[in-house]
Amino acid sequence: MKIVVGLGSCGIAAGAQKVYDEIKNQLKARGVDNKIEPVGCNGMCYLEPIVEFIHEDGKKHTYTKVTTSAIEEILDGIFQGQPCEKHLIDAKQGDKLYKQNRIALKNCGVINPENINEYIENKGYEAIKKCVKELTPIQVIEEIKTSNIRGRGGAGFPTWFKWNVAMKNKEDQKYIICNADEGDPGAFMDRSILEGDPHAVIEGMMIAGYAIGAQEGVIYVRAEYPLAIVRLQKAIDQARELNLLGVNIFNSSFKFDLKIKAGAGAFVCGEETALIASVEGERGMPRIKPPFPAEKGLWQKPTNINNVETLANIPWIINEGGKAFADIGMANSQGTKVFALTGKIKDGGLVEVPMGTSIREVIYDIGGGIRDDKECKAVQLGGPSGGCVPKELLDTLVDYEAITKTGAIMGSGGMVVMDDTTCMVDMAKFFLDFTCKESCGKCIHCRLGTKRMLEILDRITDGKGQPGDIELLEDLGNGIKEGSLCGLGQTAPNPVLSTIKYFRNEYEKHIVDKTCPAKQCKALLTYEVIQEKCIKCGLCFRNCSVKAIARDENKTYTVQHEDCIKCGVCVDVCPVGAVSVN
Amino acid sequence: MSCCRENDDKIDRIVKKFANKPGSTISILQEIQELYNYLPKDVLAKVAEKTNINPAKIYGVATFYKQFRLNPIGKYLILLCQGTACHVNGSKKIEAGIYEELKIKDGETTEDGIFTLNNVACLGCCSLSPVMMINDETFGNLTTERLVEIINEIKAKELKTEVVKSEESRQVV
């Protein structure tokens, strides 16, 4: 029997490391030498820590939300052949994994990422072997063309096209860069793949290297992902040991090696030319294209940059054939897409679904619906470069063109679900605040334009909005999109423009009526004690940090509006819901 | 400059390690920061001298990237996630709670030098939002109550080491 524990960053944050150590201790105390191994996150982050017992006959017992105190009982059950029900996974939850179609995530949560042999046992490094032994670079690119895979990092550019340009370049020295600078707040699929299946990314890079004729690769990873960096380094070392990296790979003339470069925290470095500048040790500022990196990239040499998720799909495409990949999905969006499902969702985590699945299916069938069974208000797709899809459009299919039509973008796959407690103006402000801080400052439109837009949004949420503000935002937004050099500026106004498009009414309420329908913008709220409901317990009075709640001789409590700082503590502490927010 | 002299060898070693690798400015600064916990200005000048990289360029890189800091930080660095999911699920409340408990805002350090608060864009643990990281440990599904508990635990631990230290020094006397 093998025991595996999900030790991705999310699992560890939920306490999985302690669970892992405790199981190890107890196995030792019981004198049994069962194999216990760490695996990455299987996507069901909301159930972490997850422990799986895999029996010789392939039967599996999965325990979720495991605490250290429950381990004894669980182990007792397993060893006595009567698995205890406590913490055992709900069959409905287990079924959800089967609704998905896993290609990029197929090994995540299944294999031990720190052991190359487990990857090899799962068809690992067979694809690159096939390329080196049986296919010419042109045939490899042809296979990728058949699959029609498009870049999963955001822009959705056909992968084969980029490879083809770099392949045709006659320079001797070429580079492959893996863009693992996942900066979108709300997206974490790249982290999960790097932590759960680093070899798939390495193999993807090797195939890309073979196809374009590059012998060197760089993985540019966010410094905020220390675990991913550790596991990648281990994977690289192990691959070198088995001569899968280095020279004479598979006893052929193919040579390839790669190194990790840790980023230093700049969102703009997700942009190709900025990323290259950063790898060269400069400030990560984008430059004008052309020349494209495929012509002049790292150190002025032809360079191919692909995102983590794209690369993780490549070995599968070579193993199963481009056509098998193209058969999944629809129209001009083939294969699967990983989404990071977060926000007001019941079962948040990572899901991988075939293109052509509707957003509604992702949220309700896999994500379990909205928290507290509330109604969905909107879904934010594509992070700061994306936009909001209102609930009326939830039947939109996951397809590059269909999503773009709504004003959002596929982006890297962040899917933030919102209910009626999310203020759309505040949401737009949140993203703009992010892009404004992250602008590299090169283009005036982006540097100053986002700042001015943010000031207007600040004013609106502060209750000082003026007639004409919405039009001004639209005007500025369109100007910034036109006047910026790179994707950051060109897309920064999207969250504002798309929320205006679908929730103009909410902006108007803030500006004209000075109210916030979602009750989030503090300056626009007033707190009141509902006397009929009040049980006179005095909790609000005692917890108010600024003494803004008055008590008279009849123990009647009232909010003194001039002193109130609108912190909301009175609402939180009231046991009977007798404080209203308007 | 005393700190600089103490670590002179180490700085030399870092610079030497990257001597033949072009484009290593960021990697050098990352290692320097690991050594000092921040980037002291005099050390930056020294790095410029030893690497022959223009000081303005080094300063430019050090101020461009968010990972680098030019001021020392407290013993416990709180990285409060302000990603989308955390924002939607109430990271502002956690930030207010930290202010309530420690009286520090983003980028500030407590007077006793124990805690520093830094807001970060995303820690990639969105499904456990709101999330914060203190040194290397991540805490998910935060509530104000849980936050207070965590901070109090650290405070108690610090107090204990304080007591042990003062007892030790008394014994020495």
Side-chain angles (χ1 to χ4, degrees):
Chain A
M1 185 177 60
K2 191 168 105 177
I3 306 169
V4 298
V5 182
L7 282 186
S9 286
C10 45
I12 294 173
Q17 185 67 51
K18 284 176 193 141
V19 168
Y20 181 86
D21 295 342
E22 179 64 23
I23 297 178
K24 232 176 164 177
N25 283 342
Q26 293 207 17
L27 288 179
K28 213 171 156 196
R30 284 163 196 256
V32 283
D33 50 355
N34 283 93
K35 220 163 97 188
I36 171 163
E37 279 185 56
V39 292
C41 173
N42 70 1
M44 297 197 284
C45 311
Y46 62 100
L47 294 176
E48 296 276 15
I50 302 177
V51 181
E52 289 194 305
F53 296 85
I54 304 160
H55 303 275
E56 272 82 25
D57 56 1
K59 249 175 95 182
K60 212 156 69 170
H61 283 104
T62 307
Y63 287 88
T64 62
K65 295 191 175 177
V66 178
T67 53
T68 42
S69 54
I71 290 169
E72 196 174 354
E73 197 184 340
I74 292 175
L75 287 181
D76 278 348
I78 291 284
F79 288 125
Q80 287 158 12
Q82 287 168 320
C84 76
E85 291 292 314
K86 206 168 138 195
H87 292 286
L88 198 61
I89 193 169
D90 180 354
K92 249 191 352 222
Q93 301 291 352
D95 285 348
K96 277 193 200 166
L97 280 178
Y98 302 108
K99 278 196 184 150
Q100 303 180 34
N101 186 350
R102 298 184 156 231
I103 295 178
L105 296 181
K106 70 178 190 305
N107 285 332
C108 291
V110 178
I111 65 164
N112 179 352
E114 300 189 4
N115 182 351
I116 190 169
N117 293 324
E118 292 206 8
Y119 180 70
I120 291 174
E121 279 160 23
N122 282 279
K123 279 193 172 181
Y125 292 106
E126 266 174 34
I128 178 64
K129 191 172 179 183
K130 185 174 168 189
C131 291
V132 174
K133 299 259 180 196
E134 299 168 27
L135 303 173
T136 63
I138 293 174
Q139 285 173 319
V140 174
I141 293 177
E142 207 45 52
E143 202 65 56
I144 302 298
K145 188 178 177 182
T146 309
S147 77
N148 200 19
I149 183 172
R150 296 168 68 173
R152 300 298 197 239
F157 203 70
T159 302
W160 76 271
F161 192 85
K162 270 164 103 171
W163 288 19
N164 202 36
V165 175
M167 189 263 294
K168 287 198 169 140
N169 200 304
K170 294 278 178 280
E171 288 257 15
D172 285 343
Q173 183 74 33
K174 296 179 190 177
Y175 295 99
I176 290 286
I177 296 181
C178 167
N179 182 350
D181 186 54
E182 182 175 60
D184 268 21
F188 54 98
M189 57 284 290
D190 290 354
R191 175 184 65 76
S192 223
I193 295 172
L194 292 171
E195 285 177 1
D197 194 12
H199 288 288
V201 181
I202 295 174
E203 192 179 357
M205 286 180 81
M206 292 172 75
I207 295 168
Y210 177 76
I212 72 160
Q215 293 163 354
E216 264 183 74
V218 179
I219 308 178
Y220 185 88
V221 199
R222 294 183 78 191
E224 288 91 335
Y225 289 173
L227 185 65
I229 295 178
V230 169
R231 292 207 174 139
L232 261 177
Q233 190 59 56
K234 266 191 194 161
I236 292 173
D237 294 343
Q238 290 176 0
R240 270 195 203 129
E241 234 165 75
L242 296 183
N243 196 23
L244 290 163
L245 287 173
V247 292
N248 300 333
I249 299 168
F250 300 119
N251 295 320
S252 72
S253 58
F254 177 54
K255 56 177 177 179
F256 189 80
D257 209 342
L258 44 85
K259 62 177 181 196
I260 298 172
K261 188 103 187 173
F267 178 65
V268 70
C269 289
E271 202 278 339
E272 292 190 322
T273 55
L275 192 153
I276 289 171
S278 184
V279 175
E280 291 175 352
E282 308 281 336
R283 296 166 68 117
M285 287 175 144
R287 62 158 174 79
I288 293 173
K289 291 192 275 193
F292 289 94
E295 303 155 76
K296 278 188 190 310
L298 184 61
W299 309 117
Q300 298 298 307
K301 301 290 179 192
T303 302
N304 200 292
I305 304 186
N306 290 117
N307 154 276
V308 172
E309 192 189 328
T310 317
L311 289 166
N313 277 305
I314 300 294
W316 191 94
I317 293 174
I318 298 293
N319 277 332
E320 313 296 326
K323 186 165 178 309
F325 191 83
D327 284 344
I328 307 167
M330 59 178 291
N332 203 17
S333 300
Q334 269 83 10
T336 57
K337 176 78 195 93
V338 182
F339 287 99
L341 201 50
T342 62
K344 302 279 184 194
I345 186 96
K346 270 188 192 159
D347 307 337
L350 281 189
V351 302
E352 182 170 355
V353 291
M355 297 273 188
T357 310
S358 74
I359 297 174
R360 187 185 302 278
E361 282 175 85
V362 175
I363 295 175
Y364 288 92
D365 293 353
I366 302 176
I370 314 299
R371 216 178 271 177
D372 303 325
D373 289 320
K374 284 191 176 167
E375 203 186 329
C376 174
K377 180 173 177 179
V379 183
Q380 212 279 348
L381 294 178
S385 311
C388 282
V389 177
K391 67 165 188 251
E392 293 77 21
L393 296 178
L394 280 188
D395 290 315
T396 304
L397 302 183
V398 171
D399 154 28
Y400 285 92
E401 277 69 34
I403 289 181
T404 309
K405 225 184 261 172
T406 67
I409 57 162
M410 181 84 81
S412 55
M415 199 182 254
V416 187
V417 180
M418 302 162 193
D419 64 10
D420 60 359
T421 60
T422 312
C423 168
M424 301 317 277
V425 187
D426 176 66
M427 211 55 225
K429 190 173 90 170
F430 166 77
F431 281 116
L432 212 69
D433 179 55
F434 178 79
T435 36
C436 178
K437 281 178 188 153
E438 292 294 342
S439 168
C440 80
K442 192 167 186 169
C443 311
I444 301 169
H445 285 77
C446 175
R447 181 178 70 236
L448 295 178
T450 53
K451 178 110 187 116
R452 293 289 96 89
M453 280 181 88
L454 185 60
E455 282 168 4
I456 298 167
L457 289 170
D458 265 333
R459 164 166 106 210
I460 295 175
T461 51
D462 266 353
K464 293 173 192 144
Q466 302 158 3
D469 272 353
I470 300 178
E471 291 72 20
L472 191 55
L473 281 172
E474 287 175 324
D475 221 28
L476 269 167
N478 291 322
I480 295 167
K481 283 175 85 141
E482 275 170 36
S484 300
L485 174 69
C486 84
L488 191 150
Q490 285 161 4
T491 60
N494 284 355
V496 183
L497 296 177
S498 76
T499 47
I500 291 179
K501 182 173 168 192
Y502 296 114
F503 299 94
R504 199 184 183 97
N505 170 39
E506 211 166 313
Y507 278 83
E508 281 162 355
K509 280 235 155 68
H510 280 75
I511 296 169
V512 183
D513 304 346
K514 310 285 179 212
T515 57
C516 173
K519 297 177 180 172
Q520 292 295 316
C521 299
K522 288 212 162 127
L524 303 176
L525 305 179
T526 47
Y527 291 78
E528 218 70 69
V529 178
I530 310 166
Q531 301 304 340
E532 304 81 66
K533 273 193 180 175
C534 180
I535 52 165
K536 303 185 186 240
C537 66
L539 270 174
C540 58
F541 175 76
R542 283 199 299 280
N543 279 288
C544 180
S545 61
V546 291
K547 309 248 173 296
I549 293 180
R551 174 169 67 176
D552 65 12
E553 63 274 19
N554 298 326
K555 273 197 168 178
T556 306
Y557 296 93
T558 43
V559 179
Q560 309 294 300
H561 297 297
E562 57 280 12
D563 297 328
C564 177
I565 55 164
K566 301 172 183 181
C567 64
V569 164
C570 47
V571 182
D572 292 344
V573 297
C574 181
V576 291
V579 183
S580 70
V581 192
N582 297 304
Chain B
M1 294 290 268
S2 65
C3 62
C4 195
R5 226 172 295 134
E6 264 170 45
N7 287 316
D8 215 19
D9 285 354
K10 286 185 190 157
I11 299 171
D12 267 338
R13 218 174 301 146
I14 293 170
V15 170
K16 220 174 260 165
K17 186 171 153 192
F18 294 102
N20 299 318
K21 296 177 185 160
S24 300
T25 321
I26 295 172
S27 310
I28 293 174
L29 294 184
Q30 279 169 335
E31 296 213 359
I32 298 275
Q33 179 156 293
E34 208 158 288
L35 185 62
Y36 291 93
N37 233 338
Y38 76 111
L39 298 175
K41 277 196 183 142
D42 53 335
V43 175
L44 286 187
K46 201 146 233 176
V47 171
E49 206 178 282
K50 288 179 198 271
T51 54
N52 274 330
I53 302 173
N54 187 335
K57 195 188 142 185
I58 291 191
Y59 195 71
V61 170
T63 50
F64 185 82
Y65 293 98
K66 220 172 295 139
Q67 189 192 8
F68 298 125
R69 36 180 188 261
L70 299 170
N71 292 307
I73 48 160
K75 196 169 167 189
Y76 294 88
L77 177 63
I78 306 174
L79 297 178
L80 181 64
C81 184
Q82 299 285 5
T84 324
C86 290
H87 180 80
V88 169
N89 286 328
S91 62
K92 282 272 166 268
K93 253 191 186 159
I94 305 297
E95 193 177 358
I98 292 175
Y99 184 76
E100 188 77 14
E101 285 301 303
L102 300 169
K103 296 283 175 281
I104 46 170
K105 288 183 179 159
D106 182 23
E108 292 177 352
T109 303
T110 49
E111 270 176 30
D112 54 11
I114 305 253
F115 294 96
T116 298
L117 172 64
N118 274 354
N119 283 341
V120 292
C122 187
L123 291 172
C125 296
C126 313
S127 41
L128 299 168
S129 56
V131 178
M132 71 174 172
M133 215 166 151
I134 300 184
N135 292 347
D136 287 331
E137 199 172 346
T138 313
F139 300 89
N141 295 324
L142 286 176
T143 56
T144 323
E145 291 81 39
R146 177 102 179 85
L147 171 84
V148 175
E149 259 172 49
I150 295 165
I151 287 178
N152 281 340
E153 263 171 44
I154 295 176
K155 275 184 179 167
K157 203 165 102 192
E158 281 307 304
L159 210 64
K160 225 168 152 186
T161 34
E162 257 328 91
V163 172
V164 173
K165 257 192 217 158
S166 67
E167 272 173 9
E168 272 171 6
S169 62
R170 217 176 296 147
Q171 279 167 2
V172 171
V173 172

